[in-house]
Amino acid sequence: MNDRDNSEVGSRSRRKLLAGAGALAALGPVRALAANLGSSGALGFAELPDGVLDEAVMYALPGKVPLIKKTYRPPNFETPIEYFRNPITPNNAFFVRYHLAGIPEVKAADWALSVGGDSAGREAKFTLAELKKRFKPAQITAVCQCSGNRRGLFEPHVAGVEWGVGAMGNAVWRGVRLKDVLQDVGVKPTAVEAVFDGADHPPLPKTPDFVKSLPVEVAQDENTLIAFEMNGKPLPHWNGFPARLIVPGWTGTYWVKQLASVRVVSKPEGNFWMSTAYRLPRGRFKTPTFKSQLGPPNEPITTMVVNSLITSIKSGHQVAHGKPVEVKGLAWDSGAGIDRVEISTDYGASWRRARLGKDLGRFSFREFALAIPTRERGSMVVMARATSRSGETQVEQLIHNPAGYHHNVIQRVYVEIV
């Protein structure tokens, strides 16, 4: 897509956004706002489908700033790019992702976590106060990213929520270690998986409840938490209040919200959300294998892939000749940590290392920045490429898969030096 095409798409998108804003305003007390969302083309990616742009509006759920609405029932809302100009995503701007429309208002005083299963030593139930009193507190800074983040940028397009770049966020999560709770009830040698259910429920009896499982060794990892706080405050309702699962490095599908029960089991979980949904062709990506859930043609998605996002400029950005182009953004991976981010202005023929920001932990966003001199007038293509400490690097071409996961193609932003 050339610059003229980007401009035409952006103009058409703005007209559609303004025309569609009124429909959301009628949905009740939640404030609906129309805004110029721009296009993914402006970020140097493939364009979102026209139908997605037709429906795009800014919409503020209770307790949230206006986010980019993807679906209203169940609620799926994307964080605008301006909130990624800092490494910690504010609670009121954090993306919202649900699969089921029945989302109860759970009071902290009424909440309790049930723990058991055929491979648990005993059955137990813990209130919020009991968890906080009985177990040592733990804290971690980690990226929560929807498995389908950037799905809308796939070419050819695939089915599912057509996310742009904002189905993710980075926060400081505080709670207790799941392994401490499991050790308290006991884990038998027969244990294969830990199974998690939340308080959300399907609107129709035939719709499968959203139930997820993890390998028992991941459930007992010291970084897997039951979190009560997010960035120093109680979890927002839309992000799992009063408690949720935190699985650093793994995609957001495993981060069960409004956590209600944990079962330690001796057989693989066979629920729809494990056996059918969130699966990849086997061997397509070099991510850890979920051995107990392997099937002949596919396997479950597990950890995130290395990625980056330029947040300081968009295509069409103009810079005065003689002034530098300030390239800033974020990089992240599954937990090896970011080794380097490199910037190219000659279509990848050469690369220069950006300066990395403060290390907030290996599961966190890592800021990067580089000032690029502007010696000649004309167009410049800015590319950013992140590499993890494990040696994993962003890809130049999309690795296609039917469900639209793991989009980590190198970004290309077009800048005009005038």
Side-chain angles (χ1 to χ4, degrees):
M1 180 177 288
N2 59 37
D3 291 347
R4 180 179 178 181
D5 291 336
N6 278 331
S7 177
E8 290 174 350
V9 169
S11 297
R12 184 174 73 248
S13 301
R14 284 190 288 274
R15 291 195 298 271
K16 291 177 179 177
L17 287 169
L18 293 172
L24 265 291
L27 286 176
V30 179
R31 184 164 51 107
L33 297 173
N36 173 18
L37 303 185
S39 66
S40 54
L43 299 177
F45 295 114
E47 188 56 273
L48 289 164
D50 286 343
V52 175
L53 293 173
D54 287 344
E55 299 296 325
V57 291
M58 298 295 286
Y59 190 85
L61 294 164
K64 293 285 189 180
V65 300
L67 304 177
I68 305 169
K69 183 191 78 71
K70 294 298 176 179
T71 64
Y72 183 74
R73 184 175 175 86
N76 288 296
F77 290 80
E78 181 175 329
T79 301
I81 194 169
E82 56 263 30
Y83 294 102
F84 298 125
R85 292 180 183 139
N86 291 295
I88 300 297
T89 313
N91 290 8
N92 63 358
F94 212 90
F95 83 105
V96 176
R97 171 58 165 142
Y98 275 90
H99 296 82
L100 307 177
I103 306 170
E105 293 275 356
V106 181
K107 296 181 179 179
D110 298 334
W111 180 85
L113 178 66
S114 298
V115 185
D118 64 37
S119 287
R122 66 184 178 91
E123 302 281 331
K125 184 170 283 189
F126 302 95
T127 65
L128 195 61
E130 288 171 338
L131 283 176
K132 292 179 178 180
K133 182 178 180 180
R134 291 186 60 175
F135 302 103
K136 183 180 178 181
Q139 179 173 293
I140 195 165
T141 303
V143 174
C144 178
Q145 178 181 260
C146 176
S147 303
N149 193 33
R150 304 190 185 184
R151 178 187 286 123
L153 313 184
F154 267 60
E155 288 187 317
H157 292 297
V158 295
V161 178
E162 299 296 306
W163 297 107
V165 301
M168 63 177 187
N170 187 46
V172 181
W173 311 95
R174 184 173 176 83
V176 299
R177 290 183 174 88
L178 175 60
K179 77 168 188 175
D180 292 345
V181 177
L182 295 180
Q183 286 175 357
D184 186 82
V185 301
V187 177
K188 296 178 181 178
T190 54
V192 173
E193 295 179 7
V195 181
F196 308 91
D197 194 6
D200 55 330
H201 55 83
L204 299 173
K206 292 184 178 180
T207 303
D209 191 15
F210 186 72
V211 175
K212 297 296 293 187
S213 67
L214 286 169
V216 70
E217 62 270 18
V218 175
Q220 295 185 101
D221 187 279
E222 65 176 3
N223 296 306
T224 303
L225 306 184
I226 301 171
F228 325 124
E229 295 181 8
M230 178 178 174
N231 294 330
K233 297 180 181 179
L235 292 168
H237 165 70
W238 302 106
N239 299 111
F241 182 86
R244 73 174 297 168
L245 195 64
I246 305 299
V247 193
W250 285 55
T251 65
T253 183
Y254 298 98
W255 296 43
V256 175
K257 296 179 287 293
Q258 294 184 322
L259 188 62
S261 70
V262 181
R263 293 183 294 113
V264 186
V265 298
S266 58
K267 296 180 180 179
E269 169 62 33
N271 180 278
F272 167 82
W273 299 103
M274 290 304 302
S275 63
T276 304
Y278 287 99
R279 299 183 76 89
L280 292 162
R282 287 185 65 171
R284 188 69 57 87
F285 297 92
K286 296 179 181 178
T287 49
T289 298
F290 194 155
K291 294 180 180 178
S292 58
Q293 290 285 343
L294 284 178
N298 56 40
E299 60 184 329
I301 193 170
T302 56
T303 58
M304 297 181 291
V305 294
V306 68
N307 218 334
S308 68
L309 179 66
I310 297 171
T311 60
S312 60
I313 55 175
K314 295 181 181 181
S315 286
H317 185 85
Q318 293 187 339
V319 178
H321 177 250
K323 292 187 176 181
V325 179
E326 300 289 346
V327 182
K328 298 179 181 179
L330 301 169
W332 65 99
D333 77 323
S334 64
I338 296 299
D339 177 73
R340 63 188 182 275
V341 176
E342 299 163 296
I343 307 298
S344 176
T345 58
D346 54 10
Y347 297 94
S350 63
W351 297 87
R352 284 177 283 180
R353 282 203 182 200
R355 183 182 72 257
L356 295 181
K358 184 178 180 181
D359 188 348
L360 301 178
R362 62 190 179 96
F363 296 106
S364 172
F365 281 151
R366 188 80 183 267
E367 290 182 289
F368 65 85
L370 182 67
I372 300 172
T374 56
R375 297 185 177 90
E376 298 179 2
R377 289 181 172 85
S379 297
M380 174 187 291
V381 179
V382 179
M383 301 165 60
R385 180 180 70 183
T387 300
S388 72
R389 291 172 185 153
S390 66
E392 180 190 8
T393 301
Q394 286 182 255
V395 298
E396 294 183 3
Q397 294 185 336
L398 180 67
I399 302 175
H400 204 274
N401 58 93
Y405 299 142
H406 291 329
H407 183 300
N408 68 334
V409 176
I410 295 170
Q411 192 176 0
R412 293 166 174 82
V413 179
Y414 295 80
V415 177
E416 291 291 331
I417 312 303
V418 297

